[in-house]
Every structure is written in structure tokens, then in C-alpha cells.
Amino acid sequence: MTFSSTFATSFAEQPADFSTAVQSEFVDSNQTVHRLSETRIASIVRCVDSLESDSAVVRRLAADRLYSQASNGNTQTCDAILSRLRGLRVSFSLDVRQLADQLIERIRLTRHQRAVAQLTPSPWGDSPSNLDRELDQWWQQFSRRAGADRDSIREFQYVALTAGPDWHWVASVNDQPTNQSASDEWACLLGIRVPECGTRYVPEAKKLQSRLLAKCTRSSAGSTSADRVVGRLIDSTVRRNPYGWSLESRLEIALTHQRPELVGELCELIWNTPNVHVRDLALSLLAADRVNHASLTEQLNERVNDRRVITVLPGQAHFGVGEADWPRSIVVPRINDVVQYLFWKHQGMDARQHGMTAIQADPVWGVRLESIGR
């Protein structure tokens, strides 16, 4: 007997009432499959049954045919094939079980890749009922944080493809991003993994804060779409502030990642808040200077006589260098000291030559707040 006759015989050997039984089974197990024709269902079942053939060639051809039908068919066809393949997981043959599992994963991966690739600037078009619901949920979450333009879609497609059909997201708050794909991991972390509500996730919120303060992304350069998306995600995270981060922390994150518009917004928020903390007010002046805020000069003039003492955090006190016959004295920073320092800085004068001998530079703020004063 030739191979072609063997393959045809394996497909033809079906019980007389096979069509009716299959039709009933698919209607009961999956409500979407009932739209498939009886002929299509019969073809699927014959192919699946051929996976249990004694001939390796028949099994391979049947697997290829099922994969082609699932890849090129509609959602109902794909679901019908997957449903029948899952039934082979209880087969007595180890080879059949392994072949079914491999084919299921292959089909699911192709289906996932096709669904992700269909994202467009108007992601779901006019037929949302035909879309992958889980993909839709992840995209809606990501787009709320990063926007829905082409850059965001392209970045989401990348991280979604990396996650695979089982949505194993690569980024974690506990992991450090690699240098090669830092932007993609930041996008996954801030757009997907970080929870919306901070109340129940205090440890994760603290870890995220530490990570944002410890490492600067390349988002400020905006050289790639991923960098631009990460920048927007940082802005969104700081603006929404679901974790209750202090104004100081939010300003520091914005400065660390070189987000000038965000820094300006936070400074204006501080300036327009009645009875704001003195420390936050002083830091906002330093931050505004770092981004050349247009209202900085006006703010400095308003506070030139403000002698309120700035709270110094424990362990951050500084000591000035006095004359040879004077003891070293602790620096007591005040608002007007910060104002005076910035005036001198803008005039190109060295504050150390005018009594502020403890001045120390800072990579984020430009100067350490605790070191400003006499």
C-alpha cells in the first residue's frame, strides 16, 4: 500500500454517526464552535485522530495540516483545534501526548504573535468582540500610562511578544535591568508590572522608588521610541503618585531622569500650595534652577527675606570651616540662604568666598541643600 492510500485510509476510517457526535460535542464544550460547518469540524477531527497513527509520516503531515488550519483560520477554527488537541493529553502514547503539547504551544504562540501584530493607532477598530480579551486588558492598562500613539504601540508589541501567550512578563521590581534592554524592561515594569494601588504594595513601592532614584534611564535623550515611552511612563507614575511618595522624592526622580516639564510642574505645585513644608520649598528652588524655570527669578525675589530654618534630615548636618581661631560650626540652612546662593550662582560668584564655606556639589540637585548656609 502506498503512503497516499495509507493517509487517505486513516482519514476515511470514521464511525457512521461521527458527524453528528462531533457536532454535538463542539456545541456543548465551546459555544463559539457551533458556527463552524459540519464539514470543517469533520476535517479537524480526522486530522486530530491521525496524530495517533502508527506512521510517523502521517502524524507529521497531520500536525502540519492542523497548524496551517489554526494559523490561517478564524478564531472558531483555532479554538476547535486546540480543544481537540487538549483531549490528546490523556492519550496512552507518550509520543502522542508530546506531539499534542508541542502543537498546542506552537499554535498558541502564532496566535499570540498575530494578535499582537494587529495593534494599530486605533487598536481595536469596530469589532472589539473578536479580540483577545486578555491582550485587550494589558493594552488598556499600558496605554493609560504611556499613551496610545505609535511609539507606545510599538513598545507594547515588543514587551507583549516577549511575554508570550502565557504573559510571563520579563521585568520585576526586584530585578535590575540589563544594559542591553534597559528601556524595554523599564517600559514593562512601569507600564505593566507596577500595581496601580499603593496601599497594599508598600514594599514594591519602596523598591520601585529606590530603583528610580538609583539609575537614570536614557529617556531624556529621546533617541528611540522606547526611550520616549519610558519618559512618558516616568512622568505618568510621578504625576499619578499612587504610592504617596513625598514631593522631595518625586522631584528627585524627575531630576534624576531629566524630565524638565515634570520638574516644572512639581515646582509650581509646591509654590501654589499653602503652608508647604519649608524643605520642599527650598528644594523646589534648587530644582527650578536646574531646569531654568521661567518663574525662578520671581520666586527668589519673593523669598529674599524668608529666614525660616530648613529641616535637616538625621545624619545630614554639615559643618562650616571657620577662621583658625574659631571652632567649626554647624551649618543652619535657611530659605534666604538658598535664595542668596542662587543669586550668587547666577552672577558667577563663588558662595564659599562669601561665608558659605561648607558648600558641596550634588549630582542631582546641583548642590547639597544641607550645605547651604553660614
Side-chain angles (χ1 to χ4, degrees):
M1 182 181 292
T2 64
F3 163 73
S4 59
S5 61
T6 302
F7 191 64
T9 301
S10 66
F11 274 3
E13 294 174 353
Q14 303 295 343
D17 60 346
F18 141 80
S19 296
T20 303
V22 170
Q23 182 78 13
S24 175
E25 176 182 347
F26 275 98
V27 170
D28 293 339
S29 62
N30 192 326
Q31 294 299 318
T32 61
V33 181
H34 77 277
R35 290 193 291 268
L36 294 178
S37 67
E38 191 172 321
T39 303
R40 175 61 64 84
I41 294 174
S43 174
I44 291 172
V45 174
R46 285 196 298 270
C47 281
V48 172
D49 289 345
S50 294
L51 294 178
E52 298 186 277
S53 171
D54 293 335
S55 170
V57 176
V58 172
R59 294 197 300 269
R60 179 176 62 79
L61 289 177
D64 290 344
R65 184 173 179 182
L66 285 168
Y67 174 75
S68 177
Q69 289 180 354
S71 301
N72 300 321
N74 55 25
T75 302
Q76 290 74 37
T77 300
C78 187
D79 288 340
I81 292 173
L82 290 175
S83 177
R84 292 295 297 186
L85 287 174
R86 293 187 180 103
L88 294 181
R89 288 174 168 172
V90 297
S91 172
F92 289 108
S93 171
L94 175 61
D95 290 339
V96 172
R97 295 198 301 269
Q98 290 179 338
L99 179 60
D101 285 337
Q102 292 171 0
L103 189 53
I104 288 172
E105 293 308 311
R106 186 182 175 194
I107 292 173
R108 291 181 66 237
L109 179 60
T110 300
R111 184 180 184 178
H112 173 73
Q113 292 172 338
R114 182 171 58 186
V116 171
Q118 289 175 347
L119 278 169
T120 63
S122 297
W124 308 124
D126 298 325
S127 304
S129 60
N130 296 328
L131 299 167
D132 186 313
R133 292 184 179 180
E134 193 166 9
L135 176 63
D136 182 22
Q137 292 173 353
W138 288 119
W139 163 246
Q140 295 302 330
Q141 175 176 308
F142 188 89
S143 61
R144 282 197 303 270
R145 301 175 181 182
D149 62 357
R150 293 185 182 276
D151 286 345
S152 296
I153 291 172
R154 188 178 298 110
E155 187 60 24
F156 176 78
Q157 286 176 325
Y158 181 86
V159 297
L161 288 174
T162 304
D166 292 320
W167 303 108
H168 295 309
W169 301 107
V170 296
S172 170
V173 178
N174 297 315
D175 299 333
Q176 290 298 323
T178 61
N179 292 330
Q180 183 177 1
S181 59
S183 294
D184 299 321
E185 292 186 22
W186 275 113
C188 182
L189 176 62
L190 296 175
I192 298 293
R193 295 299 302 275
V194 176
E196 288 283 355
C197 177
T199 304
R200 296 173 52 196
Y201 300 94
V202 174
E204 286 79 2
K206 290 182 178 179
K207 291 175 184 177
L208 177 63
Q209 179 183 358
S210 299
R211 184 164 169 179
L212 284 168
L213 292 174
K215 188 175 182 65
C216 177
T217 66
R218 296 174 297 157
S219 59
S220 59
S223 57
T224 68
S225 61
D227 294 337
R228 292 189 290 272
V229 171
V230 171
R232 291 203 298 266
L233 285 169
I234 292 173
D235 293 349
S236 174
T237 301
V238 173
R239 286 189 181 110
R240 290 182 301 109
N241 192 26
Y243 314 108
W245 291 335
S246 67
L247 283 167
E248 178 176 349
S249 296
R250 295 162 70 188
L251 264 177
E252 188 171 0
I253 291 171
L255 286 170
T256 298
H257 297 278
Q258 302 175 33
R259 309 300 301 169
E261 291 185 6
L262 180 60
V263 172
E265 290 179 18
L266 293 173
C267 289
E268 292 170 8
L269 173 64
I270 292 173
W271 297 337
N272 296 326
T273 300
N275 302 318
V276 69
H277 291 169
V278 177
R279 182 178 179 85
D280 290 339
L281 177 58
L283 288 171
S284 72
L285 298 176
L286 295 180
D289 176 65
R290 295 288 282 176
V291 298
N292 297 317
H293 195 286
S295 300
L296 176 58
T297 301
E298 178 184 349
Q299 294 296 324
L300 293 178
N301 289 328
E302 289 182 7
R303 294 170 172 81
V304 70
N305 295 317
D306 191 339
R307 294 186 54 81
R308 287 179 293 173
V309 176
I310 300 168
T311 304
V312 176
L313 300 179
Q316 293 186 343
H318 276 64
F319 294 85
V321 179
E323 300 294 337
D325 53 348
W326 284 89
R328 293 165 58 88
S329 59
I330 189 170
V331 174
V332 181
R334 302 173 185 270
I335 293 292
N336 64 330
D337 290 328
V338 175
V339 171
Q340 185 62 67
Y341 166 79
L342 291 175
F343 276 140
W344 284 335
K345 177 177 178 291
H346 295 165
Q347 296 169 8
M349 301 172 63
D350 187 352
R352 290 173 295 182
Q353 302 298 322
H354 298 272
M356 295 188 183
T357 56
I359 291 291
Q360 290 188 358
D362 185 272
V364 176
W365 302 98
V367 61
R368 297 193 67 178
L369 179 62
E370 293 80 9
S371 70
I372 301 176
R374 298 177 175 85

